[in-house]
Amino acid sequence: MKRALECQEALISRFPAWEALSLPALFDIVAQTHPDRPAILSDAGSWSYARLAMESKALAAAIIASGIPAGSRIAVVMANFPEFLCVKLAIARSGCVAVPINFQLRLDELTYVIDQAECCLIFGMGQFRDRNYLSDFATLLMRCDALKFAVVRDTPGLLPDGIICLERFAASAGEATDAALAARQSAVHADDMSDIVYTSGTTGRPKGAMLTHDMLLRSAFSSALTRAFEDGRRILFALPMYHVFGYVECWVATLFVGGAIIPQPVFDADQMIEYAEAYGATDIVCVPVMTHALIGAIRKRGGFVAPLRAFFNSGGVNVPSVWDDIKDVLGVSEIHTAYGMTETTASTMCTRSGESLQALLATNGQYKIAGASGDVALGGRVALYRVVDPATGVVLNADCPGELQVRGPVVTTGYYRKTEETEAAFTSDGWFRTGDVGQLSADGHLTLTGRIKESYRCGGEMVMPREIEVLLEDYPGLAQVLVVGVPDSRMGEVGCLCVVPNHGASFGDAELISYCRAKLARFKVPKHVLRLEAADIPLTATGRPQKFALAQLARTRLGLD
């Protein structure tokens, strides 16, 4: 506890007042102070702050030289390689907007996001695991009107027309571009849009939350302060950086202490242990499915040796014993869990160093310590919550469950080119509707108790059931299909297809799952199929399916209660 307080005091003294900066402006300050420190440590290549600064500037100059104007949207379809951060910094330096995309999405899903965001360029990878992305990128170049070309970090064979290797592209800018880069970067302001991050849409289509540079930095600083980062903290994680959790909570937060990240492109528990030891990880960040696998691997191995101080486990359903397991097996003194969402840039509530086991068991944390990044009008916080009756909108007292609503300087202003969904997301007095049900204690601790929205989280990835339902609406032999999330010991939650077959239909359960697998990203593919009669479907008074009751029915029928 004493160490945590000392680290927090050091951060507060280093940043006594909030300075409105862009992401690259902050990065360059750190790079000038600690040029030789590692910013990224990985088997794919370890990059110092100086190298990341130099290579991101060269890439930004190439973006400008290619004729792409400021404000353009640029897609990033890439795993946790060092080039991901180089690309993100370059996009920001060029005054453009990054659109980080889940690389698990299938071609049609990619098409929708790239088209909806009006992306003019893709930075991606030619090959990853067993998937060749070059053919997808070639098809996207034909399908998407705004898309001009694609750049890939690796070159698995001959490149199709319109696709360039990253090294060649970065070398394409001439000296004359230097002045243009300086002008572009100086014109980037803290309140400019930095990212459009896609999340589940209420109608089955993803929607892009618009985030600014200032939102990223305020959220990241408050995370570093709340979690008491020491100078040079090293964070090991496999959370994808196309999500704010991996990007903001892990990488951007380390900038405030000149730290480093140790990103895994693919989660592997044994490899994570090796990385922790080899690179001297002081912090590990996981979602529950990863946490359980890591604990099991360490037990099987008989322990590990690393200077680990902290462990962050969040983003899903936890079994009560996990907190003791983290403390005993990993030997850490600081354990954190949190609550947040894409639309709040990252976490807004978090347990603090030294809090009791009860806080981890019963809550999702309390308001993050914000320091200079907080809004005075919100009591020095980066976000403020209220709990309302979902039927009447009346604000409820402490310890009363209701719909969580939030406002503050880290809350998105809305969804890109989604006027109706943006309007629906906010109350008339400017509070964002989270769709989650919870309660706030008198001392500011948050406990989630359910959700109004239908989405569920599979292995840390958010799934919108309506997208799967739309896919299967015209499937032969189906009279009705509904999707709900049900508990799963490994993934936290998984999908259950609740289907009403037509009389005489002959399709098999495996056939439905296989069809979904061919059309959807892996995390969206349901695990269970439950066959029902139409009369089994619980309905509201207006005749609509009552999803929370259907989810309970599914849990009971599947023996998951």
Side-chain angles (χ1 to χ4, degrees), residues 318-509:
N318 287 293
V319 296
S321 61
V322 73
W323 308 112
D324 281 329
D325 288 343
I326 291 170
K327 183 179 179 180
D328 296 340
V329 177
L330 284 95
V332 296
S333 57
E334 299 169 21
I335 305 174
H336 300 282
T337 192
Y339 169 74
M341 57 199 311
T342 303
E343 290 88 343
T344 60
T345 308
S347 67
T348 48
M349 312 290 279
C350 185
T351 52
R352 301 178 184 179
S353 300
E355 279 204 280
S356 67
L357 177 62
Q358 186 59 28
L360 291 164
L361 285 168
T363 79
N364 298 84
Q366 58 183 305
Y367 286 114
K368 291 198 301 188
I369 306 168
S373 68
D375 186 340
V376 176
L378 301 181
R381 303 181 181 99
V382 291
L384 179 68
Y385 283 88
R386 69 181 184 186
V387 181
V388 305
D389 184 310
T392 65
V394 172
V395 178
L396 302 174
N397 295 326
D399 297 316
C400 292
E403 181 189 5
L404 291 169
Q405 298 178 353
V406 63
R407 65 186 178 96
V410 298
V411 179
T412 183
T413 55
Y415 302 112
Y416 185 69
R417 295 177 62 210
K418 295 269 188 178
T419 303
E420 290 183 7
E421 296 208 31
T422 296
E423 290 176 354
F426 288 89
T427 64
S428 59
D429 55 348
W431 292 73
F432 179 81
R433 307 176 196 270
T434 69
D436 289 319
V437 175
Q439 59 192 53
L440 285 168
S441 65
D443 63 0
H445 279 82
L446 169 69
T447 301
L448 292 180
T449 57
R451 57 170 59 95
I452 294 172
K453 58 190 179 186
E454 297 176 358
S455 58
Y456 60 91
R457 195 177 289 276
C458 179
E461 297 281 2
M462 193 64 76
V463 181
M464 187 61 213
R466 185 60 185 150
E467 183 177 4
I468 307 168
E469 293 166 358
V470 168
L471 176 67
L472 293 169
E473 277 181 346
D474 297 325
Y475 193 88
L478 277 181
Q480 188 176 11
V481 56
L482 296 165
V483 179
V484 295
V486 295
D488 184 82
S489 59
R490 180 170 176 268
M491 303 304 293
E493 289 177 292
V494 293
C496 175
L497 283 176
C498 300
V499 301
V500 178
N502 285 322
H503 181 69
S506 60
F507 62 83
D509 294 354

Side-chain angles (χ1 to χ4, degrees), residues 91-109:
I91 292 170
R93 292 185 190 280
S94 68
C96 294
V97 180
V99 184
I101 302 175
N102 187 334
F103 55 79
Q104 297 182 70
L105 299 186
R106 298 295 186 184
L107 179 59
D108 288 347
E109 297 168 308

